[in-house]
Amino acid sequence: MSEPLKSLPLTRASVEAAHKAIKEHIHYTPVVTSKTLNDLASTPQMVEGASQIPARPKMRLFFKCENYQKVGAFKSRGAFHALSRLSKDQLSKGVVTHSSAWPQEILSDVFVALSIVQLWSSGPLFYLCSALALAARTHGVKAYIVMPTISTPSKIAATKGYGAEVIFSGSTSQEREAVVEDVIKRTNATLIPPYDHPDIILGQGTMALELEEQVQELIQRDKSLTVHGDNSEQENGHSTMNGSSIHDKDDLVQSRGRRAGHLDAVIAPLGGGGMLSGIATALFGTGTRVFGAEPSFEGADDGRRGLEANERITSVKTLTIADGLRTPVGKINWPIISDKSKVKGVYAVTEEQILSAMRLVIERMKVFVEPSAV
C-alpha cells in the first residue's frame, strides 16, 4: 500500500474522502439505543465510605453496531480503503496479510459462564484477513493470507470462501511474518497491515461520520433521546455527559448551548489503535470528546500505562477474554492517542466488568457482541 508519508493527511476531510471511496462497498450499520441502559447509566452511584454527594448524571447511550458490518467487524472499512489507495500496478500483483490463532480452550470457561458456546472465536487479526479477502475479491485482486497451521477449520474455510489463497505457517508472529516476506518476494504483493497505517486509520474513522449523522436522525424523530436543551446543570458547572464537574475551560464553553443530536463523547475499544485513532481523527475539532477503553488483565492496558509513562509500550502478552485487544498500540496510532486534544483519556476494565457488560447487552438489547466490543 502507499507509504505512510504519501498517504492522505490524518484529518477529518481525509476521513470524509475515505468514506466517499468505500461507502458503496460497506454496510451502513445501525445505531441503537436502550432505555434500560440509559436509565442505569443515569442512576447516581454511591461509593462506600465517600463523603461527597454522588453525581447526578443524565446520559443517553448510542451504540454503533459494527458487528453487522461485512465479515462481522469494522475491519472491512480499513481494508476497502487500503485497496482504494493502491495503484493499478500494485493491485495487479495482489495483497498479503497474516492471521493470528488463539487456542479455543483458553476461552472455554468464559463460554460456559455465558452459556453461549463459541459465540466468538476470532483472534485480533482474523477479521482483517476476512475483510481483506472480501475487498480483494470485490476489486478482482489476488489476496494471499498467511495463517498458522493450528487455525480452526472454520477460520480457514471462511478465508478461502472469500477467494483468498491461504498459505500456512507456524503459530508465532515471527514465523507468520517470515512466510509473509517469502510471499512478497515471490509475488511482489503489497502488505496490508491490520491497524498501523494512515490508510487503515482513515478507513476505520468513517464509522464516526456515520454515527454523528445517525444520532442526529434518531433525535430528530425522538426528542427524548437528547439531554440538551436545558443548560441549567451546565450553567452550574456540571456536564450532562457524566454529571461530574468540568475543569477544562474549553470543555465548559463547548458544553453550553449544544444542539440536540451533538455527541458529547465517544468511547472506542483500544487494541492496536486503528479504530480509536480513526474516530479521534474524524471527530477532532467537533467538540466531541473521545476516550479509549481496554482490558486490564495481564497488562492488556498498554495504552493507559503508556500514557502514564509518556511512552508507547511495544509488547503485550495477555490472554484477556477481549482477544481483539491483545495487541500493543501501533507506532502511527500512538501520536494520535497520546495527544490530549484528540483523545481525552484511556480507561481500563476488568474481565468481570467485560462479562457483566456482555450479559447486559445480550439480555437487555438482544445484541450479540464479542468481548472486545463492550
Side-chain angles (χ1 to χ4, degrees):
M1 58 198 304
S2 60
E3 293 297 325
L5 293 178
K6 297 179 180 178
S7 298
L8 294 172
L10 292 172
T11 63
R12 181 180 173 92
S14 295
V15 177
E16 292 170 340
H19 194 244
K20 183 177 180 180
I22 69 173
K23 63 181 180 181
E24 66 178 299
H25 301 301
I26 61 172
H27 291 321
Y28 191 69
T29 53
V31 169
V32 299
T33 188
S34 165
K35 185 179 186 304
T36 298
L37 267 63
N38 288 339
D39 290 344
L40 286 172
S42 300
T43 301
Q45 301 294 313
M46 291 293 296
V47 179
E48 186 176 353
S51 58
Q52 67 181 95
I53 299 174
R56 303 186 307 278
K58 187 177 180 183
M59 301 181 71
R60 299 294 182 267
L61 306 177
F62 300 91
F63 301 85
K64 179 69 168 164
C65 297
E66 285 292 289
N67 50 318
Y68 298 137
Q69 187 53 263
K70 289 185 177 179
V71 310
F74 70 96
K75 294 284 189 178
S76 295
R77 297 175 181 272
F80 272 105
H81 185 240
L83 261 67
S84 76
R85 297 286 300 161
L86 296 181
S87 67
K88 289 183 178 180
D89 181 60
Q90 288 175 308
L91 291 172
S92 69
K93 297 171 183 175
V95 291
V96 61
T97 195
H98 62 87
S99 171
S100 60
W102 298 98
Q104 288 294 100
E105 60 270 17
I106 289 173
L107 300 180
S108 59
D109 291 340
V110 178
F111 290 145
V112 172
L114 289 173
S115 298
I116 45 174
V117 178
Q118 294 186 346
L119 176 59
W120 69 91
S121 60
S122 300
L125 302 183
F126 173 64
Y127 284 128
L128 171 73
C129 294
S130 296
L132 183 61
L134 173 62
R137 185 182 70 180
T138 302
H139 287 286
V141 175
K142 182 72 174 180
Y144 304 94
I145 307 298
V146 176
M147 303 183 73
T149 54
I150 64 172
S151 299
T152 59
S154 61
K155 290 175 65 173
I156 297 170
T159 305
K160 288 183 176 180
Y162 287 117
E165 178 180 332
V166 174
I167 302 165
F168 293 105
S169 71
S171 58
T172 69
S173 60
Q174 292 85 355
E175 289 171 314
R176 296 195 306 269
E177 290 166 3
V179 174
V180 166
E181 288 299 318
D182 289 340
V183 172
I184 293 174
K185 290 177 182 178
R186 174 169 56 87
T187 66
N188 286 320
T190 299
L191 173 63
I192 305 295
Y195 51 82
D196 202 19
H197 192 284
D199 294 341
I200 299 294
I201 294 170
L202 295 173
Q204 318 303 28
T206 59
M207 72 183 79
L209 303 181
E210 295 177 4
L211 175 62
E212 282 184 310
E213 180 179 81
Q214 290 168 289
V215 169
Q216 289 174 10
E217 291 173 351
L218 285 171
I219 290 176
Q220 285 176 1
R221 295 198 298 267
D222 184 355
K223 299 299 183 184
S224 70
L225 292 177
T226 181
V227 298
H228 296 298
D230 178 5
N231 291 333
S232 59
E233 283 190 326
Q234 295 166 350
E235 295 290 341
N236 291 325
H238 292 279
S239 165
T240 55
M241 181 191 77
N242 58 13
S244 60
S245 298
I246 299 175
H247 300 290
D248 189 316
K249 183 178 180 181
D250 291 337
D251 285 346
L252 178 58
V253 171
Q254 290 173 355
S255 71
R256 290 175 172 167
R258 284 211 171 131
R259 67 187 185 280
H262 182 274
L263 289 166
D264 291 290
V266 171
I267 304 172
L270 174 58
M275 177 195 288
L276 180 58
S277 295
I279 289 174
T281 298
L283 297 179
F284 181 63
T286 65
T288 298
R289 286 165 280 186
V290 176
F291 299 86
E294 58 187 351
S296 60
F297 185 69
E298 294 182 338
D301 56 340
D302 60 294
R304 183 188 63 81
R305 292 185 293 114
L307 290 174
E308 289 181 351
N310 201 31
E311 64 178 356
R312 185 176 72 93
I313 293 174
T314 59
S315 177
V316 175
K317 293 182 179 180
T318 175
L319 292 180
T320 173
I321 183 177
D323 60 330
L325 308 180
R326 291 172 175 171
T327 51
V329 176
K331 292 180 181 179
I332 296 174
N333 301 315
W334 176 250
I336 299 172
I337 293 169
S338 60
D339 184 341
K340 280 285 189 179
S341 68
K342 295 180 179 178
V343 176
K344 289 292 184 178
V346 174
Y347 299 91
V349 295
T350 66
E351 304 291 276
E352 291 75 19
Q353 289 172 320
I354 293 172
L355 288 172
S356 295
M358 284 185 70
R359 182 183 293 276
L360 184 64
V361 170
I362 291 169
E363 291 180 347
R364 300 304 180 94
M365 298 179 67
K366 310 305 181 188
V367 177
F368 288 85
V369 294
E370 62 179 285
S372 302
V374 294

